[in-house]
Amino acid sequence: GVRLEATNKIVLDLEKLYDAAGEDLAYVARYARAIQQQRGDYNGRVLSIRADDLRALAIVYDISPSGLIERLTEQGVLVADPRAFFAS
Ligand code: C2E
Ligand code: C2E
Ligand code: C2E
């Protein structure tokens, strides 16, 4: 069938976000740490985040949500398909 679920979800590569990402994504990294804390989700290599939270973060960066998605993609911190991520 048609696979839409993996493309719509916003999934962050935490190692890339915390180690490799520059000052540019410092607020995204801080937000991701806060979400991990709120969920008690400390052991994951990836983190799925709410679309609402991405919208709020985009306001912080003064860009559109799709602009933030683009920036995250450029920095390589977005996981397109978490299942493929674990298979590789
Ligand atoms: P909450 O928003 O009242 O959600 C309570 C519980 O419902 C969550 O516990 C989670 O088990 C489930 N839940 C709520 N929304 C979703 C969802 O979209 N997907 C899934 N899979 N489960 C959902 P949890 O994870 O222990 O989180 C506890 C509280 O921490 C949440 O209470 C919320 O206040 C906050 N939180 C956790 N993650 C996020 C997040 O990504 N963004 C925001 N804004 N708050 C979060
Ligand atoms: P998926 O959403 O494609 O996620 C694939 C794998 O990425 C997950 O395998 C998990 O290892 C990792 N992953 C994704 N998001 C997070 C995250 O926020 N935190 C952490 N620690 N890991 C994450 P897993 O857990 O075996 O789940 C397999 C599939 O089961 C998921 O595929 C999803 O389709 C479903 N699933 C698991 N938990 C939930 C959930 O809370 N809500 C919903 N709706 N589906 C879930
Ligand atoms: P998911 O668990 O597959 O949920 C997909 C969408 O279903 C969510 O997109 C949200 O629109 C809706 N949804 C699922 N559970 C709840 C709920 O308890 N309350 C409400 N109001 N809506 C719910 P959204 O918000 O963009 O979240 C994307 C993904 O981020 C979720 O996928 C889940 O993997 C993660 N996530 C979001 N919030 C939480 C949370 O509070 N706790 C945990 N553990 N994961 C969360």
Side-chain angles (χ1 to χ4, degrees), residues 3 5-6 9-12 14 35-36 39 41-49 79 81-86:
R3 296 181 68 242
E5 71 279 10
K9 230 167 151 169
I10 302 147
V11 184
L12 303 173
L14 291 178
I35 289 170
Q36 283 191 282
R39 293 183 190 168
D41 185 2
Y42 297 108
N43 296 320
R45 289 162 61 194
V46 303
L47 187 74
S48 300
I49 67 160
V79 178
D81 184 344
R83 270 160 287 189
F85 179 85
F86 286 103

Side-chain angles (χ1 to χ4, degrees), residues 10 24-25 54 58 63-78:
I10 302 147
D24 195 33
L25 295 179
L54 183 91
I63 51 177
S64 65
S66 60
L68 183 53
I69 291 276
E70 213 168 285
R71 198 174 292 189
L72 292 168
T73 305
E74 281 165 8
Q75 305 251 9
V77 303
L78 219 58

Side-chain angles (χ1 to χ4, degrees), residues 5-59:
E5 71 279 10
T7 46
N8 291 329
K9 230 167 151 169
I10 302 147
V11 184
L12 303 173
D13 181 332
L14 291 178
E15 195 181 333
K16 290 252 178 69
L17 180 62
Y18 295 152
D19 297 342
E23 203 142 300
D24 195 33
L25 295 179
Y27 289 113
V28 179
R30 190 188 293 185
Y31 207 94
R33 285 190 203 279
I35 289 170
Q36 283 191 282
Q37 205 163 16
Q38 282 181 293
R39 293 183 190 168
D41 185 2
Y42 297 108
N43 296 320
R45 289 162 61 194
V46 303
L47 187 74
S48 300
I49 67 160
R50 291 184 188 175
D52 280 346
D53 290 338
L54 183 91
R55 268 190 287 277
L57 274 168
I59 291 168

